[in-house]
Amino acid sequence: MTPRPRTGARRRVAAIATAGVMLAGFVAAAPVQAADTNLVVNGGFENGLANWFVNNGNATDSATLSPTTDAYAGSSAVRVTNRATTGSGPMQDLSGKVQAGQTYTLSARIKYENAASPATKQFFATMHYGGSTYTNLVSVTANRGQWAHVNGQFTIPASQGVSTARLFFETPWTSNPAADPNVHLMDFTLDDVSVVGAAPPPPASKTIEVVGKLPGEHNPLIGHKFGADGYGFVHDGRVYMYMTNDTQGYAPNPTTGVSPGINYGDINQITVISTTDMVNWTDHGEIQVAGPNGVAPFTNNSWAPGMAKKVVDGQEKFFLYYANGGGSSNVITGASPVGPWTSERTSTLIDGRTPGAEAVAWKFDPAPFVDDDGEAYLYFGGGPAATTMPAAERFNNPKNLRSIKLGDDMVSTEGSAAVVDAPVAFEAAQVFKREGKYYLSYSSHFGGNDFGGNQTPLPGYPGGGQIGYMISDDPMVWPKETYAGVLFPNQSQFFGTGTGGNNHQSAFEYEGKYYFTYHGPTLNKRINGNTTQGYRSPHIQELSFNADGTIRQVVGDYAGVDQVRDFDPYRVFEAETFGWSKGIATAKIDGGSAQFGDAAPNLVVRDIDNGDWTALSSVDFGAGAKSLTAKVRPLVAGGSIQLRLGDVAAPVVATIPVDGAIGEWTELSTALDGVSGVHDVYFTYAGPAGADLFEIDTWAFEAATAELPVTVSVQARCVGGKAYVAVQARNDHDAPVNMVLETAYGQRSVSAVAPGASAFQQFTTRTAAVPAGTATVRVTGSIDGTDVTTVRTAEHAAATCGS
């Protein structure tokens, strides 16, 4: 990842000068238009502290928010106590709600009562636009013990970025408020907050309408969303891929289909997908890692994830590392590879305090490695080389990567970070182990002033944006002599115009094979052609080795890797599992996953229009499928799901009319006949044009019941004036079977009846007559390694013996 530069000292901007604000002296507010709305949620605190939190723009900000019945109106307000800074006040995130160039009316009630405080005190409503940009919007001078009315208008400048917009309340800033807390840090009460103005236009649809991953191709891994910096992680027979959520800022113009360029500063989520066959991937959605509502709200961004697991204090835990922008890295802890997630830290793991990392410009791209002996390490760093180095060294050996030991708890470090002297290094260090050797791969830089000016790399060293690698006998020792060559050229060599730039990789082992992950804007290219906007997609290629342990250079392609096993359809599985798709999106809903458990997030396939489809690669129906069941939520009448085999335009095998109650989840099924063997399976969606048709939660196929072939005959006969019932069963199977022959007059078991042979029994009635009845034959054997029992019945007529 390449971080956005950040300004230095925090600053306040006077409202009158820059925001066009009218303060408490404002008399006649502009009339509120019909389209205007209150953008603040729970502004009267009647729902407790919901949607509110303490301003955390700086590490020193802290306070306690408590509901109170001392309200200006209604039954509740918020009490602010234990303030550490003047800016430590109640905050609400208005990101995505306010717009640059728009005017808003702000109103609130505020009161302070500390007898030791001044008789009057000024309070500000302030907006934090991210970084060091703070703007005072409206102020009031309150009288001690009385409710003051914060009331006025403010206009957000047209040039102001509003991807981050957080409103909070504070007293005037001073550098040392603790010197006189009664003047600067008094407790106060807030109530009835509103920000009224034009509601933002609906967000641009992020749904990718083109076929971004072509049927038959296995790269990119998914075609319905983006994902960068993919990190492969194997657990319990499943491969998980953790990615920077490039989709977060994707906002294509409804007319042109072109999105603004990617903005890394907006990304604070990690995307997770997983597979057991390397082609059909399940979308697990996004982890809200950073930001005010994140697992670790003391961080702002989440880029370039790395994943590890370890048993800590007898409990298996999962550790997700990520870059908090360019300045630091952090870790959150999961109960499973898909969560739930918590933060064991209250500050970043890697930052300027980390010993040995002081000279590293970008303390990001953290990649963990747990060795066979349980010792754990973290690799991180990147960015410009130190200016104190000679120009040639800055270019060829910038010494900007680091390795450090992790503590036993995986959320702390031990000792000092060691230099990784990777040639032409830029970022993205990652380590795996094979046959006792440690392999460290990394992304190379593009030269320029940050690296001593444009130069020619030493012979064998990487060119710009390539993946180099090193081989060492020690996970902490990486001198330049361990450099082994270029693992992967720049991806533009394989995918053409518009797909270049830096890369970020990982390597992992799965079921005896090694795999290499990387990214490229290939999906972005299929949407917009050769002019891409930097939105990247995950790819995988197989990794192979020479006899001496060196890596054969990887060739990138759309074909990707082979499917390692056929897909098993006979279970409940998530509908957001597919190999290919067109025109759909996914979203989280309440509740747990039917496939992955109650603690796992549950996603559904949504934004389904007429003509959209999803598909699974190489589905093994074995001897045959009996039915297909879908859990769906109809949104309009007249929708249907069609099942096709082999191609999106193949004949329809079966149809599920989506005719349940509108807006209600329901399970709908269709019978299947003749669906057997291995096929690519296409679910195509039809219904009224121009409408979202339905949402899909899960699929489940049911296997047709396998039956053993047997021929049964039964007759009632007479012998010596007595009636008997004769039963014969012939084994038509190709293997021996066991049989049980039964009538009302007894039963007989016959073991190991050979193919083509018969079991026979005459059941004596001891009477001169027998009424009409039936005989039952129970046959037990094996079909394709599965034990099967087949039951057959046959009727016989009545018989009367003697005169």
Side-chain angles (χ1 to χ4, degrees):
M1 296 290 302
T2 303
R4 291 168 56 86
R6 183 171 174 175
T7 54
R10 163 176 170 166
R11 69 179 186 271
R12 300 275 188 210
V13 181
I16 293 176
T18 64
V21 74
M22 299 179 67
L23 299 180
F26 171 81
V27 177
V32 175
Q33 303 300 314
D36 287 353
T37 185
N38 184 7
L39 307 181
V40 173
V41 178
N42 189 34
F45 301 94
E46 302 305 315
N47 193 24
L49 300 180
N51 298 91
W52 292 93
F53 54 95
V54 176
N55 172 27
N56 55 11
N58 287 327
T60 53
D61 292 332
S62 69
T64 301
L65 304 184
S66 306
T68 176
T69 58
D70 180 18
Y72 175 80
S75 60
S76 185
V78 65
R79 184 76 170 160
V80 189
T81 58
N82 302 317
R83 295 198 300 142
T85 65
T86 58
S88 300
M91 172 176 271
Q92 185 161 139
D93 191 357
L94 300 184
S95 303
K97 295 184 176 183
V98 294
Q99 305 169 68
Q102 294 291 314
T103 298
Y104 300 90
T105 299
L106 187 150
S107 178
R109 302 287 177 166
I110 204 161
K111 180 176 69 170
Y112 73 103
E113 297 179 299
N114 185 354
S117 294
T120 61
K121 185 64 179 179
Q122 188 178 29
F123 288 85
F124 285 105
T126 301
M127 194 81 84
H128 182 197
Y129 290 111
S132 60
T133 304
Y134 294 77
T135 299
N136 301 134
L137 305 176
V138 180
S139 78
V140 69
T141 299
N143 294 313
R144 185 178 58 231
Q146 299 177 17
W147 285 102
H149 189 192
V150 185
N151 185 34
Q153 286 186 310
F154 65 94
T155 299
I156 300 178
S159 60
Q160 176 63 60
V162 291
S163 60
T164 298
R166 306 197 302 167
L167 172 71
F168 68 101
F169 292 82
E170 62 174 344
T171 49
W173 181 83
T174 183
S175 61
N176 186 21
D180 196 343
N182 289 324
V183 173
H184 304 295
L185 300 176
M186 72 279 290
D187 300 342
F188 65 89
T189 305
L190 181 70
D191 200 5
D192 284 5
V193 182
S194 68
V195 173
V196 176
S205 171
K206 295 177 182 289
T207 301
I208 295 168
E209 300 293 347
V210 305
V211 181
K213 178 184 181 184
L214 302 184
E217 295 181 348
H218 300 163
N219 275 332
L221 305 185
I222 49 177
H224 70 294
K225 62 170 58 172
F226 303 100
D229 310 317
Y231 193 98
F233 171 75
V234 178
H235 173 70
D236 198 20
R238 195 168 192 92
V239 175
Y240 294 84
M241 185 77 66
Y242 299 84
M243 302 173 290
T244 304
N245 180 23
D246 276 18
T247 311
Q248 194 165 0
Y250 180 66
N253 183 287
T255 302
T256 66
V258 178
S259 173
I262 189 169
N263 181 355
Y264 300 122
D266 290 341
I267 300 175
N268 56 24
Q269 299 173 344
I270 297 295
T271 297
V272 187
I273 60 176
S274 73
T275 185
T276 57
D277 62 31
M278 305 303 290
V279 174
N280 297 298
W281 292 84
T282 299
D283 185 355
H284 298 285
E286 281 67 47
I287 306 167
Q288 185 63 59
V289 175
N293 300 314
V295 179
F298 53 90
T299 57
N300 295 317
N301 295 112
S302 56
W303 305 340
M307 185 68 177
K309 66 179 176 181
K310 188 178 178 182
V311 175
V312 178
D313 296 330
Q315 180 181 357
E316 186 176 56
K317 293 183 176 181
F318 299 83
F319 300 92
L320 180 58
Y321 300 81
Y322 63 96
N324 176 38
S328 62
S329 294
N330 197 47
V331 58
I332 59 175
T333 304
S336 81
V338 293
W341 302 94
T342 58
S343 177
E344 298 183 51
R345 297 187 58 85
T346 56
S347 62
T348 49
L349 173 66
I350 301 293
D351 53 33
R353 301 166 295 181
T354 303
E358 296 86 354
V360 175
W362 298 343
K363 300 172 179 64
F364 72 166
D365 288 3
F369 168 71
V370 180
D371 208 347
D372 302 331
D373 59 4
E375 291 289 344
Y377 306 86
L378 192 70
Y379 304 87
F380 66 94
T387 57
T388 56
M389 298 165 58
E393 186 177 5
R394 291 177 68 192
F395 187 95
N396 288 289
N397 295 94
K399 297 179 176 60
N400 50 3
L401 304 180
R402 295 291 185 271
S403 60
I404 195 168
K405 286 192 68 173
L406 287 167
D408 290 339
D409 59 5
M410 297 291 285
V411 297
S412 62
T413 60
E414 293 182 357
S416 182
V419 172
V420 175
D421 194 3
V424 197
F426 190 42
E427 56 190 21
Q430 192 258 345
V431 167
F432 71 96
K433 188 176 184 180
R434 177 183 178 269
E435 297 182 355
K437 298 288 186 180
Y438 301 92
Y439 292 74
L440 184 146
S441 59
Y442 63 95
S443 182
S444 61
H445 67 70
F446 293 87
N449 292 335
D450 285 341
F451 295 93
N454 293 325
Q455 303 177 44
T456 301
L458 294 174
Y461 276 18
Q466 298 185 340
I467 304 299
Y469 76 104
M470 311 169 82
I471 305 175
S472 176
D473 294 321
D474 188 321
M476 284 289 289
V477 179
W478 301 96
K480 63 184 179 182
E481 289 76 17
T482 60
Y483 175 70
V486 172
L487 163 56
F488 186 64
N490 187 271
Q491 63 275 13
S492 62
Q493 176 174 321
F494 309 111
F495 301 109
T497 304
T499 64
N502 63 316
N503 214 322
H504 192 117
Q505 78 302 328
S506 77
F508 63 92
E509 181 184 8
Y510 180 55
E511 297 184 344
K513 292 183 177 181
Y514 285 84
Y515 294 92
F516 171 77
T517 75
Y518 61 101
H519 65 229
T522 48
L523 174 58
N524 196 174
K525 182 173 181 176
R526 280 177 169 160
I527 296 169
N528 297 137
N530 289 336
T531 303
T532 60
Q533 294 77 49
Y535 295 94
R536 302 155 298 175
S537 293
H539 298 68
I540 288 182
Q541 309 290 162
E542 192 170 336
L543 205 57
S544 58
F545 299 81
N546 298 307
D548 62 358
T550 56
I551 301 174
R552 297 190 183 105
Q553 193 168 107
V554 174
V555 174
D557 58 33
Y558 285 107
V561 299
D562 292 336
Q563 188 165 337
V564 299
R565 60 177 52 82
D566 292 330
F567 188 87
D568 173 17
Y570 296 126
R571 57 202 167 99
V572 176
F573 60 93
E574 298 296 336
E576 60 275 11
T577 301
F578 32 73
W580 309 286
S581 64
K582 175 189 176 294
I584 58 88
T586 59
K588 286 183 182 179
I589 63 171
D590 291 340
S593 164
Q595 180 179 353
F596 296 96
D598 290 342
N602 187 31
L603 272 70
V604 298
V605 178
R606 59 171 294 274
D607 203 3
I608 298 172
D609 303 318
N610 182 57
D612 291 344
W613 52 267
T614 58
L616 293 163
S617 175
S618 297
V619 179
D620 186 0
F621 291 105
K626 177 181 179 181
S627 66
L628 166 64
T629 298
K631 185 177 180 181
V632 296
R633 188 169 78 96
L635 301 178
V636 295
S640 65
I641 299 169
Q642 302 157 339
L643 179 68
R644 305 171 192 258
L645 302 179
D647 188 86
V648 70
V652 175
V653 173
T655 298
I656 300 178
V658 183
D659 53 8
I662 303 298
E664 299 294 330
W665 285 104
T666 184
E667 291 190 348
L668 302 172
S669 299
T670 185
L672 301 178
D673 185 23
V675 178
S676 61
V678 179
H679 302 273
D680 293 341
V681 171
Y682 287 80
F683 303 101
T684 58
Y685 309 121
D692 285 350
L693 303 178
F694 39 77
E695 296 174 347
I696 312 173
D697 190 358
T698 60
W699 302 111
F701 287 90
E702 183 181 1
T705 304
E707 295 187 342
L708 294 162
V710 60
T711 300
V712 177
S713 62
V714 57
Q715 291 181 320
R717 297 177 179 178
C718 296
V719 174
K722 299 295 184 182
Y724 68 91
V725 177
V727 181
Q728 179 174 305
R730 185 182 72 230
N731 176 17
D732 298 326
H733 189 37
D734 58 4
V737 298
N738 300 323
M739 294 185 178
V740 177
L741 285 57
E742 184 175 4
T743 70
Y745 309 103
Q747 71 174 34
R748 182 191 176 199
S749 298
V750 183
S751 299
V753 179
S758 296
F760 178 80
Q761 178 66 35
Q762 291 187 160
F763 294 97
T764 302
T765 68
R766 293 185 172 83
T767 63
V770 61
T774 61
T776 300
V777 176
R778 189 179 305 274
V779 185
T780 303
S782 177
I783 298 178
D784 295 332
T786 301
D787 292 337
V788 176
T789 297
T790 298
V791 178
R792 290 283 186 271
T793 61
E795 297 179 350
H796 63 81
T800 301
C801 303
S803 54

